[in-house]
Amino acid sequence: MGRSSMAMALALVVLASIECEAVTYYVVGDGRGWTAPPNITAGFYADWAANKSFSGSDLLHFDYNGTHSFAAVSKEDYDNCAKVSPIAKEDQVKKLQL
């Protein structure tokens, strides 16, 4: 085997041993989507997430319809569970791609 063939074989071994982090796409709640009682039971989302290993590159899709709303708030207000005016509402958040 020539030097270039040996170098190529070594390069392939190194590349094959490097772990690639795959992106996983999750629909939160699967077929039920993102919903509220009485459509789900207490602990539903904890049970849904229990058998999954999430990583920083994963994508979570919150599929909701109709009567749900959400708002982006500051970390401080979230940590203090403060009811405040939102930073952005649903239609604005889509534009911000949070």
Side-chain angles (χ1 to χ4, degrees), residues 15-98:
L15 289 174
S17 67
I18 296 174
E19 290 186 38
C20 295
E21 187 172 340
V23 174
T24 304
Y25 179 83
Y26 295 98
V27 175
V28 176
D30 295 325
R32 288 192 176 182
W34 185 248
T35 189
N39 299 325
I40 61 165
T41 58
F44 172 79
Y45 292 108
D47 292 342
W48 172 83
N51 66 346
K52 296 170 179 57
S53 292
F54 299 104
S55 69
S57 61
D58 290 343
L59 299 173
L60 300 175
H61 178 81
F62 292 82
D63 189 13
Y64 65 96
N65 57 33
T67 61
H68 299 291
S69 63
F70 63 92
V73 296
S74 71
K75 181 176 181 343
E76 180 181 356
D77 288 337
Y78 175 83
D79 289 343
N80 294 319
C81 199
K83 185 174 181 179
V84 297
S85 298
I87 295 170
K89 292 187 179 180
E90 176 184 350
D91 58 336
Q92 296 166 323
V93 172
K94 288 179 183 175
K95 293 176 187 172
L96 295 173
Q97 296 182 6
L98 294 176

